[in-house]
Amino acid sequence: MSQSRQGPLVGVRVVEFAGLGPGPFCAMMLSDMGAEVLRIDRKGTPIRREPKYEVMNRGRRSVALNLKSAEGMETALKLIERADALIEGFRPGVMERLGLGPETARARNPKLVYGRMTGWGQDGPLKDAAGHDINYIALTGVLEAIGTKSGGPVPPLNLIGDFGGGGMFLAFGLVCGILEARSSGKGQVVDAAMTDGASVLMAAIHGLRAWDFWTDERESNWLDGGAPYYGTYECSDRKWICVGSLEPQFYALLREKTGLADDPWFDDQMRRGEWPAQKARLAEIFRAKTRAEWCEIMEGTDVCFAPVLSMAEALEHPHNKARGTFVEVDGVPQPAPAPRFSRTPPAPPEAPVAPGHHNGPALADWGFSEDEIAALKQADAL
């Protein structure tokens, strides 16, 4: 892997203790932006699939350490000494039992920003319980709000808990902590809980609910599929489109494009009692044409329209291709780094690697001598 870095976080060093889901996603985000993230894998970690398919591991090097050995532990601590931040995603207390908890780490590096990624948080009655994205967003009221009246709540993949409310919030917290440490000279612990992050993502909805503009009943509100002008519709070819004509001028254009401009039944956009019947009427209209025909009529207009594309189709859409929204790394299509920067753009991502792929070179770049690296290999710590 090339040692040249590029992006707004060049010069930031992060030690990542390998985990699953939101931890690697956070590390990917930081690495995408130019941070030098060194992943510490457990020595002997099984390879579940060819490394290039572990997209969230892209752009960073891996050192495989035997953390059960004194030499492996000391190596981890020396790396921590030289880092700006640390990422770990284990249950509360695991890092302390390993001897790598915040107190130990920050005793070696007082400026370290110690990032902790969990579902329930570092405290609270559920902190030690197992869980996954679906459980965390259920507890915060997110899952109950997504779905249909008849079909029940629908899991939105694992985007809200793991990645939005988890990894992204941890990345934000780490950057905040690093900025503060540069002025204060002191590090701190960042406790990123998916329950907290997912709750913050619902801030606007909480405001609407307190204003009595949002009901707890699914598919009854303007953003949850209840409103006829904000939802998805099937076309004659069994493909789908979506409209989001919230503002009055966009709603008027939707009526024009669907032939409803002169229908007084659709004049009042906010008559909730009429929404189910209006939605059924729009469904009939949209089923009369193919998705391609509706794209010809609406795409690029202020209707706020888009075809509902599959992942494969999204790769080929002209807008995504023009912006370079997706890239191919070692033959694997994947999202490009985001957001965009005008002066310090990130480099194209580099392919993920197997655990321990960079044992010698990475340790050398982090200040270990050839003799020290050789001794670690001899001690079976590396």
Side-chain angles (χ1 to χ4, degrees):
M1 181 180 290
S2 167
Q3 295 312 298
S4 61
R5 309 291 306 173
Q6 182 178 320
L9 292 182
V10 165
V12 172
R13 276 186 159 182
V14 180
V15 169
E16 170 200 2
F17 284 84
L20 300 173
F25 183 77
C26 169
M28 182 193 77
M29 290 188 65
L30 299 176
S31 176
D32 279 353
M33 293 298 111
E36 183 181 356
V37 182
L38 181 60
R39 190 176 80 242
I40 296 180
D41 285 290
R42 296 287 188 97
K43 186 174 180 291
T45 299
I47 298 176
R48 299 181 299 168
R49 60 180 73 92
E50 191 175 346
K52 69 178 183 178
Y53 298 115
E54 301 279 4
V55 171
M56 291 194 301
N57 286 343
R58 72 188 186 190
R60 49 203 195 271
R61 295 184 293 178
S62 166
V63 170
L65 294 179
N66 178 5
L67 294 178
K68 294 182 179 179
S69 71
E71 295 87 352
M73 281 290 298
E74 182 59 25
T75 301
L77 287 167
K78 285 182 178 178
L79 292 170
I80 288 169
E81 284 178 2
R82 299 160 194 180
D84 296 290
L86 177 152
I87 297 170
E88 67 94 355
F90 305 116
R91 292 198 209 189
V94 170
M95 287 292 278
E96 284 83 351
R97 289 192 292 274
L98 282 173
L100 296 168
E103 289 188 11
T104 303
R106 293 185 57 240
R108 300 286 287 260
N109 180 357
K111 291 182 67 175
L112 181 74
V113 181
Y114 195 107
R116 316 200 78 169
M117 182 75 260
T118 60
W120 308 112
Q122 295 296 315
D123 52 31
L126 293 175
K127 69 182 181 67
D128 294 320
H132 278 297
D133 179 296
I134 191 170
N135 311 121
Y136 310 134
I137 68 171
L139 197 77
T140 52
V142 177
L143 183 59
E144 169 65 17
I146 301 171
T148 63
K149 291 179 181 179
S150 58
V154 176
L157 305 183
N158 61 333
L159 302 180
I160 296 176
D162 277 349
F163 304 135
M168 201 170 293
F169 270 81
L170 180 57
F172 172 67
L174 289 175
V175 172
C176 291
I178 291 168
L179 287 173
E180 196 280 333
R182 289 182 173 178
S183 60
S184 69
K186 299 176 182 179
Q188 58 186 307
V189 175
V190 178
D191 174 6
M194 289 178 240
T195 50
D196 296 341
S199 297
V200 173
L201 295 176
M202 289 282 281
I205 307 302
H206 279 280
L208 292 172
R209 185 175 179 276
W211 184 38
D212 291 329
F213 197 75
W214 191 275
T215 172
D216 286 340
E217 186 178 13
R218 284 185 304 280
E219 211 175 10
S220 300
N221 302 283
W222 63 332
L223 297 176
D224 65 358
Y229 48 83
Y230 195 94
T232 59
Y233 291 95
E234 189 176 21
C235 304
S236 64
D237 54 1
R238 306 198 70 176
K239 295 181 179 180
W240 291 73
I241 56 92
C242 68
V243 293
S245 311
L246 291 172
E247 291 80 358
Q249 68 273 27
F250 302 156
Y251 179 66
L253 188 58
L254 172 67
R255 293 178 65 189
E256 177 189 321
K257 297 291 186 182
T258 53
L260 296 171
D262 297 324
D263 188 337
W265 185 34
F266 282 83
D267 285 350
D268 188 348
Q269 189 177 354
M270 297 308 296
R271 282 193 302 172
R272 291 179 183 241
E274 301 293 332
W275 281 358
Q278 290 175 339
K279 192 173 178 181
R281 176 71 182 115
L282 272 173
E284 289 179 5
I285 293 171
F286 283 120
R287 274 196 297 267
K289 299 182 188 297
T290 66
R291 187 178 73 181
E293 289 174 316
W294 285 115
C295 285
E296 189 69 26
I297 293 168
M298 292 187 171
E299 194 165 23
T301 75
D302 281 354
V303 167
C304 302
F305 165 93
V308 178
L309 303 179
S310 69
M311 291 170 65
E313 290 172 325
L315 297 173
E316 301 302 323
H317 191 276
H319 182 81
N320 295 334
K321 295 191 82 167
R323 281 189 58 81
T325 300
F326 298 96
V327 295
E328 190 170 290
V329 181
D330 197 13
V332 179
Q334 56 197 268
R340 313 293 174 88
F341 289 82
S342 63
R343 189 174 54 82
T344 58
E350 295 178 319
V353 297
H357 184 82
H358 300 101
N359 280 350
L363 290 180
D365 282 351
W366 282 60
F368 286 73
S369 69
E370 290 185 10
D371 288 343
E372 287 176 310
I373 295 170
L376 289 171
K377 292 178 180 178
Q378 182 67 29
D380 199 31
L382 192 63

